[in-house]
Amino acid sequence: MQPLPGENQPSISSLGRRPRVLIVDDDPLIQESLARLIGQSYETAAARGGPQALEAVGRMRFDVILLDLNMPGMSGAEVLAELSRRGVATPVIVVSGDNAIDSAVNALRHGAADFIRKPYKPEELLKRIGNTIGKQQLEQENSQIQQRLQQSEKWHRFLVNTSPDFIYTLDCEGRFTFVNDRVESLLGCTRSELVGRHYSEIIHEEDLFRAEHVFNERRADARASRNVELRLKCKDGQQRPRIMNGRYRTVEVTATGMYELPESRFENRFMGTYGVVKDISDRKQAEEAVHYQTYHDLLTGLPNRAKFRDHLGRALVYGKRRQQALSVMILDLDNFRVVNDSLGHSVGDELLIHIATRLRQCLADDDVLARLGGDEFGVLLPDASSRLEATVVGHKLIEALNAPLRIKGHELYVTASIGASFAPEDGAVADTLIRQTEIAMYQAKSQGGCRIQHWQPAMQDAFSGRIQMEADLRRALVNDEFVLFYQPQVDTLTGAIRGFEALIRWWHPERGIVLPNAFVPLAEETGVVVPMGEWILRQAAAQQAIWRKSGLPPARISVNISPRQLETADFVGSVLRALEANQLEPGALELEITENVLMRDVESNAAKLVQLAEAGVRLAVDDFGTGYSSLKYLSRFPIHTLKIDRAFVKDSALDGMSIANAIIGMARNLKLNVIAEGVESTAQLEQLRSLQCSEVQGYLFGMPMSAQEATRLLQEQVQGEVAKTG
């Protein structure tokens, strides 16, 4: 029989399958009639008595059991009792012909879900079965929902308590009603200690005003408070590593208002505030570290140039408001580079730290000391009333540095040059005052150093001239304004030209020929000397190639190498490229390097020069005897030639010639070539010849000459040799 339209029949889809009904009755005819009646809507199975019913329930899951009470052997009531004992939750509908009310009551008491008396109407039976199955399905779904809710609550509680953020709720009065476990590691107090307390008790006093808005947040939409930065106080006595200040944590708070679910659209009762607190102490600490590094010198801990400029700008504003003067000084150490070059940067750094300490001890608490870079320090005297007062402080600083410093076993003596400016007389703009003070400092250096020099307007012209010279120097490379001159190096016995020293000159479009001492120091200081040195190498190699192609006798060309050029990573490559570009053998060039430069970085310089020597390039030590090197260090370099400084040759001085004799003897023992510089007289030549000096150069044999004149000299030498053999 089909279910009646509109009846509460469970669908196949709602259960995932057709509901299954067990019919328990000892009468086969009743079993068959029930099976036909409900078989169109449900799957059916039959059991002829209680034992078969219990066996079927043990093997298969049923959605409803239709049970007759009056059965032989094992009554329906006993079946109900056994099902209950086994914990079978399948709903049972008792179908009985017993009209006594007690039968129905007993059946329901023993666990029956429903009771139907025989005879029954088919539609009534189907309706009761459908209702029972529907009720069972709703109960199962409700149970699953409850389980999911319990699991969800469990997971939510776990996530909240293990959250890296501090999560809280407040009541309408601002008292904590809930806090998660994170509060213990964040602030050092337990949950029970915080619940019931007002939020203001954990807020840093300076942040109470801002905290009032976020902790009393009533908005629950996009306008609610987000990422408000505050400081929360830690519990007294807690040790908190990695906190900028052990008494508080820096946090960001996001909060929203909480409201009851309204029973009607007109009700919306405020319950309190829900918030999330994110600890940003580490981030703030990193930001402060970056800020500190941006505005401080990491070696000395002093303010850097940017911070010094900021201090000066604020002092100028303050001074203008109060009509108060101030003084700016810039101090630069004299010859500090020698310490770095000779003893290494670690000694130089240690020296700077000690110098910073001494300078700070000479200044008042309100004065500002900064390291502007390298060996340059800035001093701000915000209360200086006159230039005289600044001068007194400047002399005090110089005197403080005069006492020797002992650094890593070395006793060091340091002097300083100081430039000073006075505001507002010399200017009222920070950058202007700093620039003028630096010009005054350079002026003090040019006068021998170890002095203080106040800014004067006339200094601007000289400094501008230096700036113009630097600009012209950089353009000179582009405009090909440099030219090489050559000074011959002559054999003392035969008078033959063995080589030339290449000497740079600057053909300035307005000043004419400019000698090296007027621009090389500036080129060294500004770094222009590196590309200029590479140009000299290329030009000398090109000239050598011209002489070789012309069939002139082989004459090496010596090229001076600057300290900064030697220190470049590509120094070896630049030399070899100059030779390869002109198809020259490496011995065609000889590199001249002063012994002081060799000692600047022995390990690195030795490695580069050994690499060049292995390729065939010759090395000459220039100005030998004037430096501080020893044979122990010089033996590490592949030296071919020693050049005796002109100071040991000039005027044929006895002491000078004694030193020259020692150098020549040492070179002869080491099988090195020797060239004496500055030979200007026949007497000097004869003395050097008697000492068996290999070669000489100087005005006696010719001043530095152009490439054309050097070529002519070589040609004359060839013609002379031809004449002798003819």
Side-chain angles (χ1 to χ4, degrees), residues 115-286:
F115 186 94
I116 300 177
R117 291 185 177 86
K118 298 177 183 177
Y120 47 76
K121 295 181 179 179
E123 58 270 20
E124 180 66 19
L125 177 63
L126 289 171
K127 182 178 180 181
R128 295 287 188 90
I129 294 174
N131 288 343
T132 300
I133 292 176
K135 181 181 178 182
Q136 176 73 358
Q137 181 183 358
L138 289 175
E139 289 177 352
Q140 290 176 354
E141 290 177 352
N142 183 62
S143 176
Q144 292 173 356
I145 290 172
Q146 290 298 322
Q147 290 177 3
R148 286 196 294 268
L149 285 174
Q150 290 175 2
Q151 185 64 35
S152 176
E153 182 181 356
K154 180 179 178 181
W155 277 108
H156 181 264
R157 189 181 304 110
F158 172 78
L159 293 174
V160 167
N161 282 324
T162 58
S163 170
D165 299 329
F166 167 29
I167 300 174
Y168 69 88
T169 58
L170 300 173
D171 62 16
C172 299
E173 303 299 324
R175 292 184 295 268
F176 287 103
T177 55
F178 169 81
V179 292
N180 67 343
D181 293 341
R182 178 69 172 95
V183 71
E184 298 184 13
S185 59
L186 182 68
L187 303 181
C189 56
T190 63
R191 298 171 62 184
S192 60
E193 288 176 323
L194 197 56
V195 171
R197 291 169 58 186
H198 196 267
Y199 71 84
S200 60
E201 295 183 42
I202 65 169
I203 304 298
H204 192 283
E205 290 77 6
E206 296 177 2
D207 297 341
L208 281 172
F209 179 75
R210 279 185 297 133
E212 182 178 351
H213 295 281
V214 64
F215 279 92
N216 290 316
E217 181 60 77
R218 287 177 172 263
R219 294 169 297 186
D221 51 21
R223 297 176 300 161
S225 300
R226 298 184 63 83
N227 300 328
V228 178
E229 187 174 313
L230 298 169
R231 287 169 292 177
L232 303 184
K233 293 187 292 188
C234 294
K235 184 179 179 181
D236 292 340
Q238 295 295 319
Q239 296 297 323
R240 299 276 169 240
R242 300 187 301 123
I243 306 179
M244 292 173 290
N245 183 320
R247 296 173 299 163
Y248 65 85
R249 289 270 195 177
T250 305
V251 300
E252 284 182 345
V253 183
T254 297
T256 183
M258 297 188 302
Y259 292 87
E260 267 190 348
L261 292 174
E263 295 180 1
S264 69
R265 62 177 179 171
F266 302 106
E267 297 179 4
N268 199 14
R269 190 169 70 87
F270 177 68
M271 296 175 59
T273 305
Y274 169 86
V276 177
V277 178
K278 182 182 294 294
D279 181 16
I280 61 170
S281 298
D282 288 342
R283 191 186 81 193
K284 293 295 290 185
Q285 188 175 18

Side-chain angles (χ1 to χ4, degrees), residues 297-311:
D297 170 54
L298 299 184
L299 178 65
T300 62
L302 296 175
N304 61 10
R305 180 178 288 271
K307 189 67 175 177
F308 182 75
R309 183 184 179 280
D310 181 59
H311 278 300

Side-chain angles (χ1 to χ4, degrees), residues 489 501-503 558-561 590-598 619-627 629 634 639 641-646 648 675-678 697:
Q489 297 168 334
E501 180 179 358
L503 301 168
S558 300
V559 177
N560 289 282
I561 301 299
E590 186 170 68
L591 307 182
E592 292 192 11
I593 304 174
T594 64
E595 57 178 326
N596 287 349
V597 172
L598 287 177
L619 173 65
V621 179
D622 197 12
D623 299 336
F624 187 77
T626 62
S629 60
L634 286 177
I639 299 169
T641 301
L642 294 181
K643 298 192 72 175
I644 302 175
D645 187 78
R646 66 183 65 247
F648 304 131
I675 302 176
E677 296 183 292
Q697 76 178 80

Side-chain angles (χ1 to χ4, degrees), residues 482-617:
F482 292 117
V483 63
L484 285 188
F485 276 51
Y486 301 88
Q487 187 171 35
Q489 297 168 334
V490 178
D491 190 298
T492 54
L493 295 179
T494 65
I497 297 173
R498 299 301 182 195
F500 291 91
E501 180 179 358
L503 301 168
I504 191 169
R505 300 291 185 266
W506 181 6
W507 200 288
H508 195 282
E510 297 176 359
R511 303 179 186 180
I513 288 290
V514 182
L515 297 179
N517 58 355
F519 66 87
V520 169
L522 181 60
E524 186 79 30
E525 181 182 337
T526 58
V528 176
V529 73
V530 175
M532 187 172 73
E534 293 177 353
W535 178 87
I536 294 173
L537 282 170
R538 293 193 301 269
Q539 191 68 17
Q543 184 59 56
Q544 183 71 279
I546 292 173
W547 289 341
R548 298 293 172 93
K549 290 178 182 178
S550 301
L552 295 176
R556 67 179 180 273
I557 295 181
S558 300
V559 177
N560 289 282
I561 301 299
S562 77
R564 296 188 70 163
Q565 188 180 1
L566 179 59
E567 291 168 357
T568 59
D570 192 38
F571 171 66
V572 174
S574 66
V575 175
L576 297 179
R577 283 195 299 272
L579 293 167
E580 293 170 1
N582 294 279
Q583 299 180 346
L584 295 176
E585 64 275 13
L589 291 182
E590 186 170 68
L591 307 182
E592 292 192 11
I593 304 174
T594 64
E595 57 178 326
N596 287 349
V597 172
L598 287 177
M599 297 301 108
R600 287 171 62 135
D601 188 348
V602 174
E603 297 295 333
S604 177
N605 291 342
K608 293 176 182 177
L609 296 176
V610 166
Q611 188 176 350
L612 286 171
E614 290 175 348
V617 178

Side-chain angles (χ1 to χ4, degrees), residues 341-363:
D341 294 344
S342 59
L343 302 179
H345 289 278
S346 62
V347 174
D349 288 347
E350 191 73 21
L351 178 61
L352 289 173
I353 294 172
H354 282 77
I355 287 172
T357 302
R358 283 195 179 181
L359 295 177
R360 181 69 264 179
Q361 291 170 349
C362 298
L363 301 174

Side-chain angles (χ1 to χ4, degrees), residues 372-385:
L372 305 184
D375 58 336
E376 190 174 271
F377 293 85
V379 177
L380 170 61
L381 306 176
D383 299 322
S385 58

